[in-house]
Amino acid sequence: MALISPSRRLRRTPFSDGVEAAGVKAYTCYNHMLLPTVFRSVDEDYHHLKNAVQVWDVSVERQVELRGPDAGRLMQMLTPRDLRGMLPGMCYYVPMVDETGGMLNDPVALMLSDDRYWVSIADSDLLLWVKGLAYGLRLDVLAEEPDVSPLAVQGPKAEDLMARVFGDGVRDIRFFRYGYFDFQGQALVVARSGYSKQGGFEIYVEGSEIGMPLWNALFEAGRDLDVRAGCPNGIERVEGGLLSYGNDMTRENTPHECGLGRFCSTQTAIGCVGRDALLRVAKEGPVQQIRPLSIEGDIPPCDRAWPITAKGKRIGKVTSAAKSPDFNTNVAIGMVRITHWDPGTELRVETTDGPRPARVEENFWI
Amino acid sequence: MALISPSRRLRRTPFSDGVEAAGVKAYTCYNHMLLPTVFRSVDEDYHHLKNAVQVWDVSVERQVELRGPDAGRLMQMLTPRDLRGMLPGMCYYVPMVDETGGMLNDPVALMLSDDRYWVSIADSDLLLWVKGLAYGLRLDVLAEEPDVSPLAVQGPKAEDLMARVFGDGVRDIRFFRYGYFDFQGQALVVARSGYSKQGGFEIYVEGSEIGMPLWNALFEAGRDLDVRAGCPNGIERVEGGLLSYGNDMTRENTPHECGLGRFCSTQTAIGCVGRDALLRVAKEGPVQQIRPLSIEGDIPPCDRAWPITAKGKRIGKVTSAAKSPDFNTNVAIGMVRITHWDPGTELRVETTDGPRPARVEENFWI
C-alpha cells in the first residue's frame, strides 16, 4: 500500500486527534475528508467489532441540511421513495437518482421538522445537486453543510456503552429512529443505525468543539467493555451485503439494479426526479442486479472492478471482495446479468491475480 | 504518514499501471480518483521538474462535457467570467460560484464547438451542480463525464519531448490554446497549460485504451531528456501561487477573496449564477484576500488551516505551506484580513508545532 499525503483538502474531523491517538494505520478519503480504514489490522478489527464495541469516526457522512418552506417538496424530488409517511424522529434510507434513474447517492435522511431535514450522505457532493435543483427551480429552501459530524457506536455491546453515557433511554430507540439525548447540556440526535450488521447507534455531533469530549467520555465509560476505536470494516460490510456508493453502485446504475427497488415507490413519489426512467425500469425489471458471490482461492485487494465471465463471455463484474475469516470463503458483491444471476450459478472472476472460480449465493452472510 | 486503503471507489486511471511501475510512493484522492503526490521524494521531484521534463497522470482533472443547443448559455451561467470572446481552440480559466458567490470549483473550460464544451474540473463534483441546474431550468443540454483523462507534460524540456511524439506543430500552440494532434491515428486535444509554472502541455486522452501506449511513447521518446513520472509538486505550486480548490479556497470564499476578481466580469457575464452577490463584492471589495506569505523556522506538513494572528488577534489563516529549497524559506498561501494584508506586514502563524514568525510578501516566488 502507498501512503496518503497530508493536505487540508482531505479534511480532518472533530475526532481526528482521538483517531490518531488510537493508532490509526490507514485511511480512505470520503467526501473530501479522512475516513479511517484500519486500526490494528482489518482482521483484528473485524473480530473485535463482532464481539465487543467500537467507536467510529464517520464524520465523512456529511449532512446536507434542507431548511425552508419548500424543504419537504425538494426532499420528495430527490428520491423515488415515497416520503409521505415520514415524521420527525424517523430515518429513511433514500436512494437518489438523476433524471435517467442513475444513482447519485444513497443517503439516510432524517426529518427534523416539517421544514428541516438532514441528509446523511455517501461519497458524492450531493450538496451541489441539491443546490443546483433548488436554484434552477427557484425553491424556497436553504441547502448547506452544517457543522455536524456523526460518531458511530457499533457492536454487540454498543447499547450498554451508549446507556452509560446517554442514559437508559437510548435502549428504547428503535431501528432507524432517532431521539434527542443530552451530552454536557447539549441535546444531540442519536439514531439506531450504522454501517455494520452488529447493531449500534449514530450520534449526530453538532458542533466540532464537543467532538473530543464525547469521544473521551465514550472510551472512559467503556473501558471494561473493551471499547476500541474502529471503522467501517471491509470484510464485515461485504458479508452483510451493505453496499458502498462508488464501489458497488455508481451513476451507471439504477436503484433496481442495486436491489433497492423496494425503496422506490415511483408511482406515488409524486414529483421525484427520474420518475419516467424508473417507471420504465420497474415495469421491465433490470437486466443486471447485485448479487452475493463467493470466490475460491486467494484473492488480491479489490481495487478495481473484476470482470465476471461464463463460458468466456462477460456477464458482470465484482465490485467488492474480501476474505472472510468467519465464513471461510471470499465474500463478494457483484453486478450480474439476468442470464447468470440465479443462486448456485458457477462463474469465473478475473481478478488482477488471475481467474478464480465463483458462485452466486442465495443470501449475504448474516 | 498513514497508508491509503485500496478501493474501487478511489478510481484508478488509464495510466495507473505506468504510475505504479514508476514507483509512486504516495497518493492523494481527488475527484474520487487516485492522484500521485510523490515519486522519489517531494524535494527530488521538485528539482527534477524545474530542470527536465515530467509526465503527470492528472486524470483526476475529470471533464464535465456540455453538449446541446443550450451548452453555451449554461456555460455562461456557470461562471462570472465573460465568455463572449471564447472561440473553439481556446481554454479559459473559469471560477464557478453558487448564488451567494461562494466558489464551487475553479476549472479550465475548453470550447470544442458552439454547442460543446469540456470543463476540466478541480476537486468537487461539479457535474452534480451542472446537472441540477440543467434539470431545474429545463435546458436543452446533456452533461456527462466522458472517458477523457488528461496527461500533463511539464518542465523546461516539455516542448522538446512533445515535439518528438506529436510533431513540431505543438511548438506553435500558444498559452491556454489547444490544437488537435495525431497519436496512433487518433486526433487528441493538446493544450499549452498545466498545474506548474515550468511550462508544458496537457493532452486530453480520449479513450482509456490509448492511455498506456501514449505514456510509453512519451517515456521512450524522452529517455535522453531524463523524462520521469511526476505529479503536481506541493512546493513548486505554492512558490508559483497556484491555488488549490479545497486547500486555498472553498465554498466559503468569493473569487475576489481568492484574487480571481480579474476573471469576474459580472456586469457583462449576463445570466451568471451569483451575479447579485458578486456585483456587491466587486463594488465594496473583499475584506480578506489570498496573499503570499513566508514563514520562518521549521514547519510541519500543512494538513489543516493554521490560524494567523497579529497582537493576539486572529486575522487570517495559512492554507498551504512548504519548505522551499530554491528560495530558502517556507513559502505559503494564506487568507489575510484587509487590516494586515500589506506587503511587509509581520504576522504570527500558529502551526501545529507552535507559533512561527511570518511576513506578507509582495509576490509569489516566480
Side-chain angles (χ1 to χ4, degrees):
Chain A
M1 270 201 275
L3 298 166
I4 187 166
S5 285
S7 161
R8 180 196 177 204
R9 192 171 46 73
L10 309 191
R11 299 176 287 176
R12 293 170 63 82
T13 83
F15 317 107
S16 288
D17 289 346
V19 162
E20 286 166 359
V24 62
K25 290 205 177 77
Y27 290 104
T28 188
C29 169
Y30 197 103
N31 284 326
H32 314 278
M33 199 170 236
L34 293 169
L35 174 63
T37 51
V38 184
F39 282 88
R40 300 197 181 183
S41 74
V42 175
D43 272 33
E44 202 176 331
D45 294 351
Y46 161 90
H47 291 298
H48 180 264
L49 168 62
K50 290 188 170 188
N51 289 295
V53 54
Q54 296 184 345
V55 177
W56 294 1
D57 175 2
V58 284
S59 302
V60 300
E61 295 169 4
R62 305 311 297 160
Q63 307 306 303
V64 173
E65 178 169 318
L66 305 185
R67 198 154 36 91
D70 285 337
R73 187 175 154 213
L74 178 53
M75 266 307 301
Q76 186 60 87
M77 291 193 62
L78 289 169
T79 180
R81 183 161 177 184
D82 188 335
L83 302 182
R84 282 177 301 172
M86 197 178 194
L87 295 168
M90 291 184 180
C91 313
Y92 268 37
Y93 179 68
V94 281
M96 295 189 171
V97 300
D98 68 10
E99 74 284 3
T100 72
M103 295 282 297
L104 296 180
N105 206 293
D106 70 324
V108 173
L110 283 70
M111 186 179 187
L112 300 174
S113 64
D114 275 354
D115 60 359
R116 189 161 169 245
Y117 294 80
W118 280 346
V119 182
S120 192
I121 62 172
D123 186 31
S124 76
D125 296 334
L126 191 78
L127 179 61
L128 296 185
W129 170 243
V130 171
K131 283 174 72 87
L133 285 179
Y135 182 91
L137 295 163
R138 299 179 184 274
L139 300 181
D140 262 343
V141 64
L142 279 174
E144 280 304 332
E145 181 183 310
D147 179 16
V148 173
S149 296
L151 188 66
V153 179
Q154 301 284 304
K157 298 180 187 167
E159 190 174 298
D160 289 339
L161 175 55
M162 287 293 287
R164 292 183 189 181
V165 173
F166 290 99
D168 277 324
V170 297
R171 298 188 192 274
D172 299 328
I173 306 174
R174 287 185 293 150
F175 186 63
F176 261 54
R177 293 290 195 280
Y178 72 83
Y180 290 91
F181 291 83
D182 183 85
F183 178 74
Q184 295 188 347
Q186 190 181 330
L188 298 179
V189 168
V190 176
R192 194 180 289 264
S193 57
Y195 196 61
S196 89
K197 289 286 184 176
Q198 308 309 311
F201 300 84
E202 288 177 304
I203 309 157
Y204 289 74
V205 180
E206 204 172 350
S208 294
E209 63 289 349
I210 61 162
M212 282 312 298
L214 176 59
W215 175 279
N216 290 329
L218 285 163
F219 280 87
E220 207 133 302
R223 215 168 291 169
D224 62 304
L225 300 174
D226 190 26
V227 61
R228 290 188 198 163
C231 47
N233 183 276
I235 309 169
E236 197 266 355
R237 77 116 181 139
V238 176
E239 286 178 357
L242 293 172
L243 305 185
S244 162
Y245 185 74
N247 278 309
D248 309 310
M249 48 192 167
T250 71
R251 221 164 43 241
E252 298 293 307
N253 306 117
T254 63
H256 299 76
E257 289 180 347
C258 303
L260 305 176
R262 66 188 184 282
F263 298 107
C264 300
S265 321
T266 318
Q267 287 278 8
T268 57
I270 309 290
C272 75
V273 179
R275 178 180 177 275
D276 304 353
L278 291 184
L279 278 177
R280 174 60 47 192
V281 166
K283 191 175 161 170
E284 298 178 357
V287 297
Q288 59 174 1
Q289 200 167 52
I290 277 181
R291 284 290 180 272
L293 301 165
S294 57
I295 307 175
E296 291 176 37
D298 282 336
I299 57 166
C302 188
D303 65 353
R304 67 199 83 176
W306 292 334
I308 305 176
T309 57
K311 293 189 184 145
K313 228 181 90 189
R314 185 163 174 164
I315 55 89
K317 61 188 170 197
V318 164
T319 51
S320 297
K323 184 184 169 74
S324 161
D326 283 355
F327 296 99
N328 201 28
T329 184
N330 299 301
V331 296
I333 298 174
M335 188 67 76
V336 184
R337 285 191 71 80
I338 190 167
T339 49
H340 292 76
W341 75 25
D342 288 340
T345 309
E346 306 283 340
L347 304 168
R348 211 167 98 131
V349 174
E350 314 289 340
T351 80
T352 39
D353 283 357
R356 299 286 185 271
R359 219 173 79 100
V360 180
E361 296 293 327
E362 180 89 40
N363 297 300
F364 283 97
W365 291 261
I366 46 155
Chain B
M1 272 201 275
L3 298 167
I4 186 165
S5 284
S7 161
R8 180 196 176 201
R9 192 171 45 73
L10 309 191
R11 298 177 288 177
R12 293 170 63 81
T13 83
F15 316 108
S16 289
D17 290 345
V19 161
E20 286 166 359
V24 62
K25 290 205 176 79
Y27 289 104
T28 188
C29 170
Y30 197 102
N31 283 326
H32 314 279
M33 199 170 235
L34 292 169
L35 173 62
T37 52
V38 185
F39 282 87
R40 301 198 180 182
S41 74
V42 176
D43 273 33
E44 201 176 331
D45 294 350
Y46 161 90
H47 291 299
H48 181 264
L49 169 61
K50 290 188 170 188
N51 288 295
V53 55
Q54 296 184 346
V55 177
W56 295 1
D57 174 3
V58 284
S59 302
V60 300
E61 295 169 5
R62 305 310 298 160
Q63 307 306 303
V64 174
E65 178 170 318
L66 306 185
R67 198 153 37 93
D70 285 337
R73 186 175 154 213
L74 178 53
M75 266 309 300
Q76 185 62 86
M77 291 193 63
L78 290 169
T79 179
R81 182 162 178 184
D82 188 335
L83 302 182
R84 283 177 301 171
M86 196 178 194
L87 295 168
M90 292 183 180
C91 312
Y92 269 38
Y93 179 68
V94 280
M96 295 190 172
V97 301
D98 68 11
E99 74 284 3
T100 71
M103 295 282 295
L104 296 180
N105 206 292
D106 70 324
V108 173
L110 283 70
M111 185 179 188
L112 299 175
S113 65
D114 274 356
D115 59 359
R116 188 162 169 243
Y117 295 80
W118 280 346
V119 183
S120 192
I121 61 172
D123 185 32
S124 75
D125 296 335
L126 192 77
L127 179 61
L128 296 185
W129 170 243
V130 172
K131 283 174 73 88
L133 285 179
Y135 183 91
L137 296 163
R138 299 177 184 274
L139 300 181
D140 261 344
V141 64
L142 280 175
E144 279 304 332
E145 179 181 311
D147 179 16
V148 172
S149 296
L151 188 65
V153 179
Q154 300 283 303
K157 297 179 187 166
E159 190 173 299
D160 289 339
L161 175 55
M162 287 292 288
R164 292 183 189 181
V165 173
F166 290 99
D168 277 323
V170 297
R171 299 188 192 275
D172 299 328
I173 307 174
R174 287 184 294 150
F175 186 64
F176 261 54
R177 292 290 195 280
Y178 74 82
Y180 289 92
F181 290 84
D182 183 84
F183 179 74
Q184 296 188 347
Q186 190 181 332
L188 297 179
V189 167
V190 176
R192 195 180 288 264
S193 56
Y195 197 61
S196 89
K197 288 285 185 178
Q198 308 309 311
F201 299 83
E202 287 176 304
I203 309 157
Y204 290 74
V205 180
E206 203 172 352
S208 295
E209 63 289 349
I210 61 163
M212 282 312 298
L214 175 59
W215 174 278
N216 291 330
L218 286 162
F219 279 88
E220 207 133 300
R223 215 167 289 169
D224 61 301
L225 300 174
D226 190 26
V227 61
R228 290 189 200 163
C231 47
N233 184 275
I235 310 169
E236 196 266 354
R237 77 118 181 136
V238 176
E239 286 179 357
L242 292 173
L243 306 185
S244 163
Y245 185 74
N247 278 310
D248 308 310
M249 49 191 167
T250 72
R251 223 165 41 242
E252 298 292 306
N253 306 117
T254 64
H256 299 77
E257 288 180 347
C258 304
L260 305 177
R262 66 188 183 284
F263 298 106
C264 299
S265 321
T266 319
Q267 286 279 8
T268 58
I270 308 291
C272 75
V273 179
R275 177 178 178 274
D276 303 354
L278 290 185
L279 279 177
R280 174 60 46 192
V281 166
K283 190 174 161 166
E284 299 178 356
V287 298
Q288 59 175 0
Q289 200 167 53
I290 277 181
R291 285 288 181 272
L293 301 165
S294 57
I295 307 175
E296 291 176 35
D298 283 335
I299 56 166
C302 188
D303 65 354
R304 67 199 83 177
W306 292 334
I308 305 176
T309 57
K311 292 188 183 144
K313 227 181 89 190
R314 186 162 174 166
I315 55 89
K317 61 187 169 199
V318 164
T319 51
S320 296
K323 184 183 168 72
S324 162
D326 283 354
F327 297 101
N328 202 29
T329 184
N330 300 301
V331 296
I333 298 173
M335 188 66 77
V336 184
R337 286 190 71 79
I338 191 167
T339 49
H340 291 77
W341 74 25
D342 288 340
T345 309
E346 305 283 340
L347 304 167
R348 212 167 99 132
V349 174
E350 314 289 340
T351 80
T352 38
D353 283 357
R356 299 285 185 275
R359 219 172 79 100
V360 180
E361 296 292 329
E362 180 89 40
N363 297 302
F364 282 98
W365 291 261
I366 46 156

